Amino acid sequence: MCGRTACSLGADNLRRACAYRDRRGRRQQPEWIQAERYRPSYNKGPQSRGPVLLSRRHLQQDADSSERVLMDMRWGLVPSWFKKDDPSKMQFNTSNCRSDTMLKKSSYKGALLKGKRCVVLADGFYEWQQQSGGKQPYFIYFPQTKDTVVRRVPRHDEGKEGDEEWRGWRLLTMAGIFDCWEPPSGGEMLYTYTIITVDASKDVSFIHHRMPAILDGDEAIRKWLDFAEVPTQEAVKLIQPTENIVFHPVSTFVNSIHNNTPECLTPIELGAKKEVKDTPSSKMMLGWLKNSQEGSPQKKENDLPRWTSQFIHNPSPKKTSVDIMHQWLGKEGEPAVKKRKA
């Protein structure tokens, strides 16, 4: 399943990270629709809002179906046919949708057959392994290349490198279904989504028996989004488990949805003390978090920490994905990435 994610990039960098080639081979960045609603978070749960990609044709009938837009939608699909005034009164959980029943259940079938396919974006997702002493959380994400640039772009630089290839964190791209619900008594349309799940791949099945359907690569994303060119029966063939993921254990700090700091996804060493070790950069980070949260219940996107080179040591030629994450967070010295043995 997938019940918690992180997506910490600001709106401008998220747009850059989603750059793609259009039908003519031109490099494009998806347009943000109401970007001001988006809020980055290290700990997103159902009923919160999150960024998704979809075809522009869903919003503009004469648009090229291969053109993409970014929208901030609520997590937990509300079917267009839902009749009550308050979507929170739904009697069932629609944050996840099983791949084996998505063409059978009325909550998803109608939207899927109408081509309402989307890609849910995240740094990665959290999953909990059941253990005798409780549950151990893990953070699961795409492997990061050694060329990943770990420094977050300063605010005044954002948007200046739009034509250059994104070299920051590779976002996890999960297959989803969305729908648009209009309150019976009138009012603003509500866009919501669900994440499709599949049987877990071999490497992560020891954590949980289900995982999100991950679209690995732009061609898979193109086929999933372009509903005018790729019919439903063809698109659903993309819904498969993937082995191209890595993971590491994290602190139970992430268990509370109210905790929203980099500590949520920072690697820990199992069997060791769960608290994050004090380092100059972590002390400065925690100091920033304390100061930024005083008098402000929710941080704005541009208030998220943007680490500079003073917090980052020169990378080793053999960086692992966790090494990159430590540098992304401005930390070092934690254990190497865990990869399940066959």
Side-chain angles (χ1 to χ4, degrees), residues 7 42 82 153 210 218 226 229 245 276 287 291 302 314 325:
C7 193
Y42 295 101
F82 186 68
V153 179
R210 303 289 293 178
D218 198 66
D226 196 347
E229 294 292 327
I245 48 176
V276 178
N291 292 333
N302 284 329
N314 291 329
M325 175 169 287

Side-chain angles (χ1 to χ4, degrees), residues 123-250:
D123 300 340
F125 71 98
Y126 300 98
E127 193 55 83
W128 281 257
Q129 179 194 26
Q130 184 66 56
Q131 297 180 344
S132 57
K135 291 185 177 181
Q136 171 60 51
Y138 286 80
F139 188 62
I140 305 171
Y141 51 101
F142 270 140
Q144 304 297 310
T145 70
K146 65 179 181 180
D147 296 325
T148 298
V149 175
V150 298
R151 183 178 67 87
R152 295 184 186 275
V153 179
R155 187 183 311 178
H156 63 273
D157 286 348
E158 287 189 352
K160 290 187 177 181
E161 302 178 11
D163 293 332
E164 295 184 7
E165 184 177 357
W166 172 252
R167 294 178 59 209
W169 189 264
R170 183 188 176 190
L171 293 172
L172 196 68
T173 43
M174 299 174 283
I177 302 169
F178 77 94
D179 211 343
C180 185
W181 175 78
E182 183 177 5
S185 57
E188 184 180 6
M189 304 284 279
L190 176 66
Y191 283 85
T192 59
Y193 69 89
T194 184
I195 296 174
I196 300 172
T197 64
V198 295
D199 290 335
S201 60
K202 180 176 62 175
D203 281 344
V204 296
S205 60
F206 80 102
I207 302 175
H208 197 277
H209 67 283
R210 303 289 293 178
M211 68 182 294
I214 296 169
L215 301 166
D216 190 359
D218 198 66
E219 180 64 9
I221 294 172
R222 182 194 67 79
K223 289 180 176 179
W224 183 250
L225 292 180
D226 196 347
F227 68 98
E229 294 292 327
V230 182
T232 302
Q233 295 300 330
E234 186 68 23
V236 296
K237 295 178 182 178
L238 298 166
I239 305 303
Q240 301 287 341
T242 181
E243 299 286 351
N244 187 31
I245 48 176
V246 292
F247 54 87
H248 61 252
V250 295

Side-chain angles (χ1 to χ4, degrees), residues 277-322:
K277 298 176 182 178
D278 282 338
T279 65
S281 59
S282 67
K283 288 179 180 178
M284 187 168 292
M285 175 187 72
L286 293 173
W288 172 87
L289 289 167
K290 179 180 179 181
N291 292 333
S292 67
Q293 289 173 343
E294 288 179 355
S296 176
Q298 187 174 23
K299 299 187 294 298
K300 296 181 180 179
E301 72 167 74
N302 284 329
D303 290 334
L304 282 174
R306 300 173 188 275
W307 306 114
T308 60
S309 57
Q310 72 186 90
F311 302 119
I312 300 171
H313 294 253
N314 291 329
S316 164
K318 295 183 178 179
K319 288 190 294 184
T320 67
S321 294
V322 162

Side-chain angles (χ1 to χ4, degrees), residues 55-58 60-67:
S55 168
R56 182 184 285 278
R57 187 173 289 189
H58 290 297
Q60 183 181 335
Q61 290 187 351
D62 60 348
D64 184 338
S65 61
S66 68
E67 190 175 346

